[in-house]
Amino acid sequence: MDKNEAKKLLLAYRDDLSEVDNAEVNKALKMADEDPELKTFLAQEQAFDRAFTQKLNEIEPPSGLLDRILAEAPDQTATAPTQSEPQSAKIIWWQHPGTWSAAACVLALIALTAVFTQNNSNTTNNRADLALMHNFAQAAALHSPTIQHMDFQNNDIGEIGTYLAKNNSPRPQDLPENMDQLLGMGCLTYTWQDNPVGVICLKGEKVYNLYVANRGGIDLKNDHPSPFYKQFGNYSTALWTTGDLIYVLTVEGKEEDLSPLL
Amino acid sequence: MDAPKQVNQELDFNDLVKNYYTPLFRFAYSLAGNQEDACDLTQQTFYIWATKGSSLRDSSKVKSWLFTSLYREFLRVRRRGQKMVSYEPELLESETPPVTPDYVSSLDAAGAVESLAEVDEIYRAPIALFYLKDLSYKEIAAALDLPIGTVMSRLSRGKTQLREILVRKEKGTRSPAQLDESGGNKI
């Protein structure tokens, strides 16, 4: 390790670094003990850190913020586990959400049946689309467990998208709003049937992989804005299209792990 | 590093807010660079806690959970509202420029945040958490979902960038971007 390398490590040094067993940092600290130049550098750096920490800790929230947070917070009694039981017994059958859900399902089924029986001309396209969707989702489900490393690591999906675009891979455009709660981990590029595919790794309750491809390359005939769920072994997948892009979201788990995000 | 009150499932929401809203606001301010957005981010973080926090089983992780949620909220808001800025980490110089110690002391808190806000966003969150000292290295790594080694390399690069910004300010010069905007001194 030369002096410049030691300086780089010492730049990131903070007193509580001892929690991290880092041989390189220990070596740099030892060098700083023995080398007057490094010793001065470390002392100056720590003085700078102390001054900057002091400045940031001088920041005080505006006087009304505490009241604003407390006044506008949702009712806490609704989230306390010990207080969530009594309500269900008071609900009579026709007020029960399940009754309405079941009725909605029946109506939806009737509507879907009508649509399917009246659109025979689309049947061939739908079958072709379903086969393609199945194959793409299956490829994603098989690929997901093999991901060992990412080409680019970043928390920000915007940055990840920029990286993918620079590497000639499709980037996500309009993702479902619920996916905002996921944190980006990074991405890699992938090819499926000669089509470039961007793969974005995301973290929430579980690790998710989002596959993005150009719809033209995969040749889907119809729009599929609603997610198409399919289970492949331990992996659950959801596929949908938005504009010119086709997405597959995979997770090691069940459909229930995906549906709240879409 | 201060040790806020140990929390558990019976923790009063008001106590939680009182314990953590100041450090969270400081982190939010360091990320967003302005007080209004920092207030919104802080409030939204507690709103998320109020609606989802009860699902957190490990009460010792409340602090990390709050910082992580605030950081995610910052990324989410920014993703929806602003264009992305690309960056080239490999272009950063590794040599740390000297900053007069008196200059840092002469800055006010807003000036320090202003300088921090000019650091590339990828480095800003690790640096803010490093200086605020609310989280340990391991907690910073967990909050940002990065390996500790990556946190350290980003700290090293980010601090170099922060120094460059402070040196520039100390010399009273403006950034190339500012020069472009003003139209003056543009070649």
Side-chain angles (χ1 to χ4, degrees), chain A:
Chain A
M1 182 187 298
D2 63 23
K3 278 189 188 179
N4 277 336
E5 289 166 336
K7 283 181 180 178
K8 280 184 191 174
L9 289 167
L10 295 173
L11 269 175
Y13 176 71
R14 204 175 74 182
D15 295 344
D16 59 347
L17 186 66
S18 55
E19 65 169 308
V20 181
D21 185 20
N22 190 317
E24 291 291 294
V25 176
N26 290 336
K27 197 172 172 184
L29 284 170
K30 195 175 175 191
M31 281 176 71
D33 263 348
E34 295 163 357
D35 183 311
E37 184 193 331
L38 280 179
K39 195 169 192 170
T40 305
F41 172 85
L42 179 60
Q44 287 174 343
E45 197 58 35
Q46 291 188 313
F48 173 85
D49 290 347
R50 278 193 297 275
F52 208 84
T53 292
Q54 188 186 339
K55 290 298 161 192
L56 291 187
N57 282 324
E58 285 173 9
I59 297 167
E60 288 300 329
S63 56
L65 181 62
L66 178 62
D67 292 338
R68 179 178 143 191
I69 292 169
L70 295 175
E72 296 176 21
D75 180 9
Q76 283 304 286
T77 56
T79 58
T82 53
Q83 296 174 14
S84 61
E85 294 172 7
Q87 295 182 6
S88 58
K90 296 177 184 170
I91 298 175
I92 52 178
W93 71 270
W94 55 269
Q95 289 177 323
H96 196 285
T99 308
W100 289 101
S101 299
C105 287
V106 171
L107 286 173
L109 196 60
I110 291 168
L112 277 173
T113 307
V115 167
F116 278 120
T117 53
Q118 289 173 13
N119 288 289
N120 290 334
S121 61
N122 286 333
T123 305
T124 307
N125 283 344
N126 279 336
R127 278 186 192 153
D129 275 9
L130 280 173
L132 282 169
M133 289 156 69
H134 178 279
N135 291 344
F136 186 40
Q138 185 176 38
L142 290 172
H143 178 257
S144 287
T146 68
I147 296 174
Q148 300 286 332
H149 74 280
M150 293 173 278
D151 300 339
F152 176 68
Q153 291 186 28
N154 198 295
N155 294 136
D156 191 310
I157 292 179
E159 303 276 10
I160 291 171
T162 303
Y163 175 87
L164 287 172
K166 279 183 185 170
N167 287 276
N168 304 313
S169 284
R171 59 192 290 184
Q173 298 293 337
D174 296 311
L175 293 177
E177 203 154 312
N178 285 349
M179 285 184 68
D180 284 345
Q181 64 188 272
L182 302 179
L183 186 65
M185 296 167 68
C187 65
L188 56 150
T189 56
Y190 168 66
T191 304
W192 184 68
Q193 295 187 350
D194 297 328
N195 294 298
V197 179
V199 186
I200 300 174
C201 304
L202 302 152
K203 194 170 182 184
E205 296 295 320
K206 295 190 166 196
V207 172
Y208 302 84
N209 297 310
L210 178 69
Y211 292 74
V212 191
N214 288 315
R215 196 173 134 185
I218 294 178
D219 201 25
L220 285 183
K221 304 293 182 196
N222 297 318
D223 291 330
H224 299 278
S226 298
F228 166 80
Y229 294 98
K230 192 80 184 172
Q231 188 79 26
F232 297 96
N234 292 333
Y235 274 77
S236 188
T237 65
L239 181 150
W240 72 97
T241 63
T242 303
D244 294 330
L245 295 173
I246 176 168
Y247 298 93
V248 178
L249 187 64
T250 72
V251 69
E252 188 174 6
K254 300 290 181 190
E255 181 181 326
E256 293 76 29
D257 296 315
L258 295 174
S259 53
L261 298 170
L262 304 175

Side-chain angles (χ1 to χ4, degrees), chain B:
Chain B
M1 192 180 304
D2 61 338
K5 190 184 294 181
Q6 182 65 36
V7 291
N8 55 39
Q9 288 190 338
E10 285 80 41
L11 176 72
D12 181 73
F13 180 73
N14 290 11
D15 287 344
L16 184 88
V17 175
K18 285 171 189 165
N19 279 339
Y20 293 112
Y21 90 106
T22 298
L24 284 173
F25 175 81
R26 286 173 181 157
F27 181 43
Y29 195 9
S30 304
L31 289 175
N34 70 78
Q35 201 175 68
E36 291 75 22
D37 288 346
C39 285
D40 289 346
L41 281 169
T42 308
Q43 182 174 16
Q44 184 62 16
T45 301
F46 286 111
Y47 185 91
I48 294 168
W49 168 267
T51 52
K52 296 179 182 171
S54 61
S55 62
L56 186 70
R57 292 181 182 175
D58 188 346
S59 60
S60 67
K61 292 186 175 168
V62 167
K63 185 171 64 175
S64 294
W65 191 99
L66 290 168
F67 276 89
T68 303
S69 296
L70 191 147
Y71 179 55
R72 288 182 183 184
E73 184 62 13
F74 167 72
L75 291 176
R76 189 189 73 79
V77 170
R78 213 208 51 163
R79 194 188 310 156
R80 291 283 170 196
Q82 293 178 15
K83 65 179 182 180
M84 302 301 159
V85 181
S86 61
Y87 68 98
E88 298 289 345
E90 62 275 13
L91 295 179
L92 290 174
E93 296 293 332
S94 60
E95 195 65 33
T96 311
V99 179
T100 315
D102 290 346
Y103 179 69
V104 179
S105 301
S106 72
L107 284 173
D108 60 9
V113 169
E114 190 182 291
S115 305
L116 196 52
E118 288 186 40
V119 173
D120 280 349
E121 200 172 286
I122 190 171
Y123 306 123
R124 202 184 309 153
I127 292 182
L129 292 172
F130 174 88
Y131 282 125
L132 288 169
K133 293 190 171 182
D134 292 299
L135 302 183
S136 68
Y137 275 92
K138 284 181 181 172
E139 288 171 329
I140 293 172
L144 305 180
D145 200 28
L146 293 170
I148 287 181
T150 306
V151 169
M152 294 190 67
S153 64
R154 288 188 184 181
L155 282 172
S156 188
R157 287 169 167 171
K159 284 179 70 180
T160 302
Q161 208 177 73
L162 177 64
R163 293 266 187 146
E164 287 168 352
I165 291 161
L166 290 168
V167 165
R168 199 185 66 225
K169 284 178 182 289
E170 189 177 14
K171 287 179 180 171
T173 57
R174 291 177 294 166
S175 68
Q178 287 172 313
L179 293 175
D180 284 350
E181 280 169 16
S182 66
N185 300 328
K186 192 174 176 182
I187 297 171

